[in-house]
Amino acid sequence: MMTVNEVSKLTGVSIRALQYYDKIGLLSPAGYTESGYRLYDDAALEMLQQILLFRELEFPLKEIRKIISSPDFDKKKALEEQITLLTMKKEHLENLIGFAREIQMKGETTMDFSVFDTQKIDEYAKQAKQRWGKTDAYKESVQKAAGRSKEEEKAVMENFMQIFADFGKLKDTDPRSADARSQVKILQDYITEHFYQCTDEILDGLGQMYAAGGEFTENIDRAGGAGTAQFTAEAIRIYCGK
């Protein structure tokens, strides 16, 4: 575990920024010291790396949160596309540097604006965002919701939150217990039936999102009591063998 001050020194991200990330549900600490200071584990640092890569690509925080909280966000695929975008930006900067040096050497104005064109980068970034934001799971969820009436949709969501209320009844027990594992299976099966195919990988990502703070955590804790979201996330992590 690392304190917020240690993470700030390691990453160059200010303490204020880390506090803000926590506040908006983008990156929550793994725990707190007895004095109330934030603590970050390896999983949180891995998430921070993802956030910083997106920030280097100038993605707004709101978009980053939407992307990384997507039910089947593919970290490996996202990293490949981030590398492609960063490489494109690198080549763009190298062209600009070469152009500036040419002007410096010639000592005259060079009327060439093609080096400022970022259309190729912008188009690739746009397509990547669409892939990250509209996954197969997202599309499946939309399709299933479209086939339900308002009353049915309300019942689905009420039953969904009841699952978290049941998690709340277990939150003071061992997340490795048979009851906890059974409850995670109930959650996974319910998501598959009513929203999208919930693989273990997707489920693990959801667990991280549930405990990440913000609206998701608040709603789950409201259903099952304070600490339910964190317990659910831990039970999911164990169930998925992470």
Side-chain angles (χ1 to χ4, degrees), residues 108-128:
E108 60 185 30
T109 302
T110 302
M111 301 302 289
D112 180 7
F113 293 92
S114 62
V115 293
F116 299 101
D117 186 5
T118 61
Q119 184 175 351
K120 185 177 179 181
I121 299 175
D122 295 340
E123 182 60 30
Y124 187 90
K126 179 181 178 181
Q127 292 176 1

Side-chain angles (χ1 to χ4, degrees), residues 62-78:
K62 185 177 181 180
E63 285 192 16
I64 296 173
R65 183 187 176 194
K66 178 181 177 182
I67 290 169
I68 63 178
S69 64
S70 178
D72 57 352
F73 172 56
D74 189 333
K75 294 179 183 179
K76 183 177 179 180
K77 182 64 176 177

Side-chain angles (χ1 to χ4, degrees), residues 26-219:
L26 180 61
L27 177 70
S28 294
Y32 297 87
T33 65
E34 293 182 359
S35 302
Y37 291 104
R38 293 170 174 82
L39 291 172
Y40 296 83
D41 59 8
D42 289 344
L45 291 176
E46 182 183 349
M47 182 70 76
L48 180 58
Q49 284 182 333
Q50 279 285 345
I51 293 169
L52 294 180
L53 280 171
F54 280 119
R55 290 296 286 159
E56 285 296 325
L57 293 169
E58 301 176 7
F59 279 38
L61 293 177
K62 185 177 181 180
E63 285 192 16
I64 296 173
R65 183 187 176 194
K66 178 181 177 182
I67 290 169
I68 63 178
S69 64
S70 178
D72 57 352
F73 172 56
D74 189 333
K75 294 179 183 179
K76 183 177 179 180
K77 182 64 176 177
L79 182 59
E80 291 174 356
E81 294 183 325
Q82 287 168 338
I83 290 171
T84 298
L85 273 171
L86 289 168
T87 301
M88 293 171 73
K89 286 191 67 175
K90 174 176 174 286
E91 292 173 350
H92 177 67
L93 287 173
E94 287 175 344
N95 289 336
L96 285 174
I97 292 170
F99 177 68
R101 284 176 175 165
E102 183 180 353
I103 294 175
Q104 185 183 49
M105 289 175 62
K106 290 183 177 180
E108 60 185 30
T109 302
T110 302
M111 301 302 289
D112 180 7
F113 293 92
S114 62
V115 293
F116 299 101
D117 186 5
T118 61
Q119 184 175 351
K120 185 177 179 181
I121 299 175
D122 295 340
E123 182 60 30
Y124 187 90
K126 179 181 178 181
Q127 292 176 1
K129 289 178 185 179
Q130 290 175 343
R131 287 192 292 272
W132 291 329
K134 294 184 179 180
T135 60
D136 291 339
Y138 172 84
K139 294 173 183 176
E140 185 180 353
S141 178
V142 170
Q143 290 173 350
K144 287 188 176 182
R148 294 192 288 258
S149 66
K150 290 183 178 180
E151 292 75 17
E152 289 172 334
E153 183 68 16
K154 181 180 178 182
V156 165
M157 294 310 299
E158 287 178 348
N159 291 334
F160 186 49
M161 295 313 296
Q162 181 58 48
I163 293 174
F164 293 112
D166 292 338
F167 266 113
K169 298 173 184 178
L170 301 171
K171 63 184 174 68
D172 294 324
T173 66
D174 187 345
R176 296 176 177 80
S177 70
D179 286 342
R181 293 182 64 85
S182 176
Q183 191 61 25
V184 172
K185 186 65 166 62
I186 290 172
L187 173 65
Q188 185 177 36
D189 289 346
Y190 192 85
I191 292 172
T192 294
E193 180 181 357
H194 297 283
F195 300 105
Y196 43 77
Q197 182 65 38
C198 187
T199 64
D200 284 359
E201 185 177 357
I202 290 176
L203 184 63
D204 181 58
L206 287 172
Q208 294 179 42
M209 182 176 67
Y210 292 158
E215 186 177 353
F216 285 106
T217 302
E218 291 172 3
N219 288 339

